[in-house]
Amino acid sequence: AQTVTQSQPEMSVQEAETVTLSCTYDTSESDYYLFWYKQPPSRQMILVIRQEAYKQQNATENRFSVNFQKAAKSFSLKISDSQLGDAAMYFCAYLWGSQGNLIFGKGTKLSVKP
Amino acid sequence: GAGVSQTPSNKVTEKGKYVELRCDPISGHTALYWYRQSLGQGPEFLIYFQGTGAADDSGLPNDRFFAVRPEGSVSTLKIQRTERGDSAVYLCASSSSGRGGETQYFGPGTRLLVL
């Protein structure tokens, strides 16, 4: 069975600094997708970034980038120039190519200090 | 356009009662998903619709839970004989066609509290 592990329940970063959130996953599949979602107190899950496993190039979206290590089954999220609005729960998620359902980790609560 | 909407935002009910939670997906999206998020946990999959039919209902915890999508748009999650353990945030998501790897767009969820 596929699993997603986020080993950092909480992280803290100073405003304008950089922080990295960790995620590892376990799968025997070769065709899959990985996601980072942000969940602020409003509860709505917002897509941060998406990575296709067959692409070697790491995905980036403005201040957000990933370090995708397929052999190590690692998918960390780097947030540069952290802003107060980045404070939220961050969830790593896995999606197998032919499945419909996302498999989520337990999340990392990110605090941003002014 | 409008995102995924869910009603009600919050629902308080008594143990043993019946509840219905509604999800209105992004217009034109054929795939719709229900997840349940317990306190301090990530969302867990319940059921996935492709059009009007349930393509995968393997996540429904027991036969008290049922979901429908009769016209391929709005979906209703129905919970019979609610138990205190059903208290959670119920999230709905939709994607364009349900093909592998598509991004799922989430609604704001319904927080269900069973007293």
Side-chain angles (χ1 to χ4, degrees), chain A residues 33 35 37 39 41-47 50 89 91 95-107, chain B residues 4 9-10 33 35 37 40-43 45 48 56 89 91 99-104 106-111:
Chain A
Y33 303 80
F35 302 80
Y37 279 91
Q39 188 179 41
S42 66
R43 296 197 308 247
Q44 184 145 11
M45 301 281 274
I46 302 164
L47 177 69
R50 173 180 178 271
M89 286 291 293
F91 291 94
L95 179 64
W96 180 32
S98 61
Q99 264 184 324
N101 57 298
L102 289 161
I103 297 171
F104 286 87
K106 289 189 175 183
Chain B
V4 177
S9 179
N10 296 281
Y33 314 81
Y35 295 84
Q37 186 176 20
Q41 303 294 317
F45 169 75
Y48 154 47
D56 182 357
V89 174
L91 295 168
R99 280 195 294 268
E102 277 187 341
T103 295
Q104 296 180 20
F106 284 79
T110 293
R111 184 182 299 279

